[in-house]
Amino acid sequence: MVARESARGRLGATVARLLPALRVVGFVAALGVVAAMAVGAARDVRLQDLRWWLLVPAALAAVAWWLLLARGWALLVRGRATRPDVSTWCRTQALRYLPGGIWAPASRLVVVDGTALDRVSTVAAENVIALCAALAVGGPALALAGAPWWAALVVLAAAPVVAARLTASRSRVDPDRARRATVNDVAAFGAYAASAVLVQAAISGWHHPLAVAGAAAIAWSAGLVVVIAPSGIGVRELVYVALLAGVLPKTDAAAAAVTMRLVTIAAEAAVLVIAGRPAARTGA
């Protein structure tokens, strides 16, 4: 028994020594994945047709969206935004591009502390809250654009808080954390929708901004649900174009969808460099 405990102690010490290096390796690998995706997206965009000045605020809105999503994860994990948790989310999120589409949440399942039920609840809550927030933003936007039946989706903003009442006694996901994370993610997808409107305007001008905002948020939700497509690649673009059929020319909507992908990848790369660097944890 003593020998076994000693071996465990040596293994723990070895892992502790290697952890900083592993974090750096993970950071570099995440940067490589994002860079590869950016090159692939750039091949599909006709850069000469863009109103470039609109892409600057679009990228800034996308950066805000990405940082807020990272903050939402931190709010669930720690109850407050911390640099190490934001950094962990940024690095692990790049894994969603790998085949299977589940590696980002799976990796967070490994790195977060707590019991198995607590870890699963936290990772599941992050995805459910993001999904509900995106739908709660997209639905009302489409309703205001002239499709009133979409307005019902706004009630989904309350779903994570209600569900958290069932998990509060067995995990860290209580109603207060769920509420704060939901408010955070609603703001995040407001920024995402704004970025999509700016990107579409860069392609086709200022036409039907509410429809564009709603289509972008709903399309993001579709990409999250269809896990077999890494990062929703192809799915979000198809849904976006379909939702805007009859509102904008298909070629304009398709060009904006691909450009939006490029803008969000660029924003992700910027955030990964700035906020995704490994950071030592100073406390729980």
Side-chain angles (χ1 to χ4, degrees), residues 201-226:
I203 299 291
S204 58
W206 297 97
H207 303 297
H208 309 286
L210 286 172
V212 169
I218 298 297
W220 187 93
S221 303
L224 180 66
V225 172
V226 184

Side-chain angles (χ1 to χ4, degrees), residues 94-195:
L95 298 177
R96 73 195 186 284
Y97 289 118
L98 299 178
I102 64 169
W103 302 112
S107 63
R108 287 195 282 276
L109 192 65
V110 174
V111 299
V112 72
D113 56 5
T115 65
L117 178 61
D118 196 12
R119 297 198 305 270
V120 170
S121 298
T122 304
V123 172
E126 182 213 357
N127 286 276
V128 170
I129 288 172
L131 177 64
C132 290
L135 292 172
V137 168
L142 288 178
L144 290 171
W149 53 87
W150 287 98
L153 291 180
V154 73
V155 303
L156 291 175
V161 179
V162 174
R165 298 181 185 277
L166 303 176
T167 61
S169 63
R170 291 167 290 179
S171 78
R172 77 189 81 204
V173 185
D174 57 26
D176 180 62
R177 289 192 184 189
R179 176 186 58 79
R180 293 169 62 198
T182 300
V183 171
N184 176 88
D185 281 16
V186 167
F189 284 100
Y192 181 85
S195 180

Side-chain angles (χ1 to χ4, degrees), residues 63-75:
V63 166
W65 163 66
W66 203 249
L67 286 172
L68 283 169
L69 287 183
R71 182 176 184 268
W73 165 254
L75 290 175

